[in-house]
Amino acid sequence: MASMIFTDCSSSTMSRLIHLDRRNGAFLPHPCVGQLSLRTTASGRGCTLSIRSSSSPSAIVINGKAEAKKIRDDIKIEVSRMKESIGVVPGLAVILVGKNEESATYVRNKKKACESVGIKSFEVGLAEDSSEEEVLKYVSGFNDDPSVHGILVQLPLPSHMDEQKILSAVSIEKDVDGFHPLNIGRLAMRGREPLFVPCTPKGCIELLHRYNIEIKGKKAVVIGRSNIVGMPAALLLQREDATVSIIHSRTKNPEEITRQADILISAVGKPNMVRGSWIKPGAVIIDVGIKRVEGRFVGDICYAEACKVASAITPVPGGVGPMTIAMLLVNTLTSAKRIHYFQSSSDLKG
Ligand code: NAP
């Protein structure tokens, strides 16, 4: 079984920020960046980042915050284009049950993000002891409401509720979280397309794409197998032709598996569990895990150690987190476009 290791090895001092702009091909490395090799892609749209087994002391920081901002800027333009052309404003409804502080913060952030791009948000807050029927009533109301294009039931739900029953009640056309069993089932099947992909794993893959990190043919390892992150992340990597292994709490000697990974995604929630010695030199690391330790957020990856071994890494915070919310906005916009047969502009695909 993988063991939990707490160590104060997380630090931002190893961060070396670069900015890689895919659209104009500009590459603006921070002066401290180590060895990188760039070549222009066949499409000419950008450049491919070739990651070498590095003897350089630090990894590229995959800047999720900056990428998420670019995505939000694009969404804002699309939302106003849609409003001007057909008079429709995309709408996202969020149902929050109970007083879980973390959930309330997530919901607040989602609302703020919606406002910042012009998406209308609807929020329902229900008491912890609400009945399942009450939640289902709101889900059904939003399913029928034409001004709502995305419905999100904030998880976790109180233990007396059947999560599966409630998630299944969300109309598959408005399932912007991608948690409906039909969407997950389609994600798992070859030749089928889900209407929506869960936001956090989608954000992980989007970051790999935006940094032109090749997935096809690579050995990818995902730590964690939850329905909302680990499992869909593994499915997405497989759809992109990676060879995927999954590590969970019963996996023996996980470090032997992670050491083979060209791409490592960790979604556990155990601070600093993955040490530098678990990482293959030159690997790309996506750290989904986030936990507050002594007043600051810490990921699953022992950041300072990983920076010396990996070729690229997401920081915590500022890596996957902002991308999750950006993907929720993308999914909501995609849904509104699909429902109203509004064509995508070429730059922003769902
Ligand atoms: P979860 O439902 O608790 O799942 C955790 C997974 O980690 C499980 O599959 C579990 O294995 C596995 N695990 C637990 N201990 C392990 C160990 N010692 N070695 C290997 N695997 C182990 O959590 P989650 O919802 O997927 O979230 C995971 C982390 O990502 C959390 O820190 C969460 O806060 C964070 N998160 C971040 C975002 C974001 O936007 N940045 C979004 C969602 C989640 P079993 O299946 O065997 O129990």
Side-chain angles (χ1 to χ4, degrees), residues 255 258-259 274-280 305-306 309:
E255 66 278 13
T258 56
R259 263 184 226 129
V274 177
R275 305 298 302 261
S277 59
W278 290 34
I279 296 167
K280 178 179 173 176
E305 289 180 9
V309 190

mmCIF file of all heavy atoms in Angstrom, residues 255 258-259 274-280 305-306 309:
data_model
loop_
_atom_site.group_PDB
_atom_site.id
_atom_site.type_symbol
_atom_site.label_atom_id
_atom_site.label_comp_id
_atom_site.label_asym_id
_atom_site.label_seq_id
_atom_site.Cartn_x
_atom_site.Cartn_y
_atom_site.Cartn_z
ATOM 1 N N GLU A 255 5.854 3.598 -6.135
ATOM 2 C CA GLU A 255 7.002 4.328 -6.708
ATOM 3 C C GLU A 255 7.638 3.571 -7.870
ATOM 4 O O GLU A 255 8.209 4.180 -8.769
ATOM 5 C CB GLU A 255 8.032 4.678 -5.623
ATOM 6 C CG GLU A 255 8.753 3.523 -4.969
ATOM 7 C CD GLU A 255 7.958 2.844 -3.841
ATOM 8 O OE1 GLU A 255 6.745 3.108 -3.710
ATOM 9 O OE2 GLU A 255 8.548 2.017 -3.132
ATOM 10 N N THR A 258 5.332 4.667 -10.738
ATOM 11 C CA THR A 258 5.456 6.088 -11.116
ATOM 12 C C THR A 258 6.790 6.355 -11.809
ATOM 13 O O THR A 258 6.873 7.228 -12.668
ATOM 14 C CB THR A 258 5.333 7.020 -9.886
ATOM 15 O OG1 THR A 258 6.311 6.635 -8.921
ATOM 16 C CG2 THR A 258 3.950 6.953 -9.269
ATOM 17 N N ARG A 259 7.811 5.599 -11.448
ATOM 18 C CA ARG A 259 9.140 5.831 -12.044
ATOM 19 C C ARG A 259 9.176 5.522 -13.544
ATOM 20 O O ARG A 259 10.128 5.857 -14.230
ATOM 21 C CB ARG A 259 10.185 4.962 -11.330
ATOM 22 C CG ARG A 259 10.929 5.731 -10.266
ATOM 23 C CD ARG A 259 12.021 4.892 -9.638
ATOM 24 N NE ARG A 259 11.977 5.031 -8.198
ATOM 25 C CZ ARG A 259 11.957 4.042 -7.326
ATOM 26 N NH1 ARG A 259 11.984 2.786 -7.745
ATOM 27 N NH2 ARG A 259 11.920 4.280 -6.048
ATOM 28 N N VAL A 274 4.290 12.171 -3.207
ATOM 29 C CA VAL A 274 5.161 11.736 -4.304
ATOM 30 C C VAL A 274 6.509 12.445 -4.193
ATOM 31 O O VAL A 274 6.609 13.653 -4.380
ATOM 32 C CB VAL A 274 4.496 12.033 -5.667
ATOM 33 C CG1 VAL A 274 5.425 11.656 -6.813
ATOM 34 C CG2 VAL A 274 3.166 11.305 -5.780
ATOM 35 N N ARG A 275 7.528 11.677 -3.893
ATOM 36 C CA ARG A 275 8.865 12.246 -3.702
ATOM 37 C C ARG A 275 9.618 12.321 -5.032
ATOM 38 O O ARG A 275 9.245 11.677 -6.014
ATOM 39 C CB ARG A 275 9.667 11.370 -2.727
ATOM 40 C CG ARG A 275 8.987 11.126 -1.389
ATOM 41 C CD ARG A 275 8.776 12.411 -0.625
ATOM 42 N NE ARG A 275 10.028 13.105 -0.391
ATOM 43 C CZ ARG A 275 10.712 13.062 0.745
ATOM 44 N NH1 ARG A 275 10.254 12.364 1.767
ATOM 45 N NH2 ARG A 275 11.837 13.736 0.878
ATOM 46 N N GLY A 276 10.694 13.072 -5.017
ATOM 47 C CA GLY A 276 11.508 13.198 -6.228
ATOM 48 C C GLY A 276 11.971 11.837 -6.737
ATOM 49 O O GLY A 276 12.034 11.602 -7.952
ATOM 50 N N SER A 277 12.245 10.927 -5.816
ATOM 51 C CA SER A 277 12.764 9.605 -6.201
ATOM 52 C C SER A 277 11.696 8.741 -6.881
ATOM 53 O O SER A 277 11.997 7.682 -7.422
ATOM 54 C CB SER A 277 13.293 8.872 -4.965
ATOM 55 O OG SER A 277 12.240 8.726 -4.036
ATOM 56 N N TRP A 278 10.436 9.178 -6.844
ATOM 57 C CA TRP A 278 9.355 8.433 -7.495
ATOM 58 C C TRP A 278 9.240 8.816 -8.984
ATOM 59 O O TRP A 278 8.443 8.247 -9.713
ATOM 60 C CB TRP A 278 8.003 8.767 -6.865
ATOM 61 C CG TRP A 278 7.760 8.277 -5.477
ATOM 62 C CD1 TRP A 278 8.660 8.151 -4.467
ATOM 63 C CD2 TRP A 278 6.494 7.869 -4.942
ATOM 64 N NE1 TRP A 278 8.035 7.703 -3.341
ATOM 65 C CE2 TRP A 278 6.711 7.518 -3.600
ATOM 66 C CE3 TRP A 278 5.203 7.776 -5.460
ATOM 67 C CZ2 TRP A 278 5.678 7.069 -2.767
ATOM 68 C CZ3 TRP A 278 4.177 7.339 -4.635
ATOM 69 C CH2 TRP A 278 4.421 6.987 -3.304
ATOM 70 N N ILE A 279 9.981 9.835 -9.387
ATOM 71 C CA ILE A 279 9.746 10.467 -10.688
ATOM 72 C C ILE A 279 10.842 10.118 -11.690
ATOM 73 O O ILE A 279 12.037 10.176 -11.369
ATOM 74 C CB ILE A 279 9.649 12.002 -10.509
ATOM 75 C CG1 ILE A 279 8.424 12.331 -9.647
ATOM 76 C CG2 ILE A 279 9.589 12.732 -11.834
ATOM 77 C CD1 ILE A 279 8.391 13.763 -9.138
ATOM 78 N N LYS A 280 10.409 9.777 -12.889
ATOM 79 C CA LYS A 280 11.359 9.502 -13.972
ATOM 80 C C LYS A 280 11.972 10.828 -14.434
ATOM 81 O O LYS A 280 11.235 11.813 -14.640
ATOM 82 C CB LYS A 280 10.582 8.855 -15.129
ATOM 83 C CG LYS A 280 11.399 8.547 -16.354
ATOM 84 C CD LYS A 280 10.477 7.897 -17.389
ATOM 85 C CE LYS A 280 11.163 7.718 -18.702
ATOM 86 N NZ LYS A 280 10.306 7.011 -19.682
ATOM 87 N N GLU A 305 11.507 18.780 -4.646
ATOM 88 C CA GLU A 305 12.250 17.617 -5.148
ATOM 89 C C GLU A 305 11.886 17.331 -6.601
ATOM 90 O O GLU A 305 12.761 17.057 -7.428
ATOM 91 C CB GLU A 305 11.938 16.388 -4.289
ATOM 92 C CG GLU A 305 12.540 16.462 -2.899
ATOM 93 C CD GLU A 305 12.220 15.239 -2.046
ATOM 94 O OE1 GLU A 305 11.663 14.242 -2.577
ATOM 95 O OE2 GLU A 305 12.532 15.284 -0.847
ATOM 96 N N ALA A 306 10.594 17.418 -6.900
ATOM 97 C CA ALA A 306 10.126 17.098 -8.256
ATOM 98 C C ALA A 306 10.711 18.070 -9.283
ATOM 99 O O ALA A 306 11.042 17.674 -10.404
ATOM 100 C CB ALA A 306 8.607 17.136 -8.296
ATOM 101 N N VAL A 309 13.839 16.962 -10.946
ATOM 102 C CA VAL A 309 13.822 15.728 -11.743
ATOM 103 C C VAL A 309 12.935 15.861 -12.978
ATOM 104 O O VAL A 309 13.294 15.407 -14.063
ATOM 105 C CB VAL A 309 13.298 14.540 -10.880
ATOM 106 C CG1 VAL A 309 13.518 13.227 -11.608
ATOM 107 C CG2 VAL A 309 13.929 14.526 -9.516
#
